[in-house]
Amino acid sequence: MSGIGTGYDLSVSTFSPDGRVFQTEYAQKAVDSSGTVVGLRCKDGVVLGAEKLIISKMLVENSNRRTFPVDRHAGVAVAGLAADGRAVVDRAQSEAQQYKGFYGHPIPGHVLAERLASYVHVFNLYWYVRPMGVTSLLGVYDEEGPALYAVDPAGTVHRYYGTAVGKGRQAARNEIEKLRPGELTVREGVRAVAQILHRVHDEEKPFEAELAWVCEESGRMFQRVPQELVDEAERLAKEALEAEDMDD
């Protein structure tokens, strides 16, 4: 009975006999079935990219965002339930604002990541709430340099050189492991992220690649990657995939 969650998945505060919290696992499933989100920590900044399926021909371009600024030096890309992602972003923005108001300088990346993880973890403790169905990739550029963090639905936080979450996560991680993110510039990182998103996209529906960065080129401010760079990166990604198909 414990293997399928029957009787043990009615509350997030209930453990199964083998030590599992099924509602937290269900929240992770929501992340794993969403569009792929990729993050790379390059030598001069952090690049975040999200795969957004175009669910309707009437959808306005650049709507239903997946990347959000948190502070001037930090931003988030979310995978999973978009509404939960906005709630997490609101909390991250509040934490950044309160820290700066109290201490007088921007919040360090590791502090922001840990506070965000603590907030998400609270939703795994009480029976009257449900876990956040979202994983957040946090890109920051503080006094210690660029850094990339991931906060999952359980409230666990890790720091990465490069990672991916969502439906195409495993294939994307395999591609990331072939790179040396710490040796790439952010412009090279943008091209790499675009190529990874196109490579792991396996659905018939078209998608939109949403790319953001925080880097030296952006003045250490988190912002969307200029559209001309995105267009160039997508063009090169499509050409590379077409060349591979011809070789096969």
Side-chain angles (χ1 to χ4, degrees), residues 218-229:
S218 68
R220 300 191 179 186
M221 292 178 56
F222 185 87
Q223 56 186 222
R224 300 281 290 272
V225 176
Q227 191 59 45
E228 59 270 19
L229 294 182

Side-chain angles (χ1 to χ4, degrees), residues 72-85:
R72 288 174 59 88
H73 70 299
V76 167
V78 296
L81 303 180
D84 285 7

Side-chain angles (χ1 to χ4, degrees), residues 43-56:
K43 64 182 181 181
D44 57 343
V46 179
V47 179
L48 302 175
E51 171 199 26
K52 297 194 305 182
L53 293 179
I54 300 176
I55 58 177
S56 170

Side-chain angles (χ1 to χ4, degrees), residues 59-80:
L59 189 68
V60 176
E61 187 178 0
N62 293 324
S63 62
N64 190 26
R65 294 181 59 186
R66 289 283 178 167
T67 61
F68 304 88
V70 171
D71 201 346
R72 288 174 59 88
H73 70 299
V76 167
V78 296

Side-chain angles (χ1 to χ4, degrees), residues 59-171:
L59 189 68
V60 176
E61 187 178 0
N62 293 324
S63 62
N64 190 26
R65 294 181 59 186
R66 289 283 178 167
T67 61
F68 304 88
V70 171
D71 201 346
R72 288 174 59 88
H73 70 299
V76 167
V78 296
L81 303 180
D84 285 7
R86 290 194 297 272
V88 171
V89 170
D90 285 346
R91 179 64 180 216
Q93 291 172 341
S94 177
E95 290 287 355
Q97 187 177 30
Q98 290 177 12
Y99 187 98
K100 190 171 185 178
F102 188 84
Y103 293 102
H105 61 85
I107 186 170
H110 70 278
V111 175
L112 178 58
E114 290 168 2
R115 290 190 178 186
L116 197 58
S118 296
Y119 170 73
V120 172
H121 179 59
V122 167
F123 290 83
N124 292 267
L125 300 179
Y126 304 105
W127 63 268
Y128 51 84
V129 295
R130 65 162 176 80
M132 291 284 189
V134 64
T135 290
S136 306
L137 298 189
L138 172 66
V140 299
Y141 202 135
D142 57 19
E143 294 178 354
E144 297 182 0
L148 172 67
Y149 302 88
V151 179
D152 68 15
T156 305
V157 59
H158 292 98
R159 186 172 178 175
Y160 289 98
Y161 293 107
T163 191
V165 293
K167 184 178 294 185
R169 63 193 179 282
Q170 192 55 57

Side-chain angles (χ1 to χ4, degrees), residues 4 19 41 43 48 59 82 89 124 129 151 162 185 197 199 202 205-207 209:
I4 59 174
R41 196 225 73 178
K43 64 182 181 181
L48 302 175
L59 189 68
V89 170
N124 292 267
V129 295
V151 179
T185 66
L197 292 177
R199 188 182 300 277
D202 59 355
K205 291 183 179 179
F207 80 97

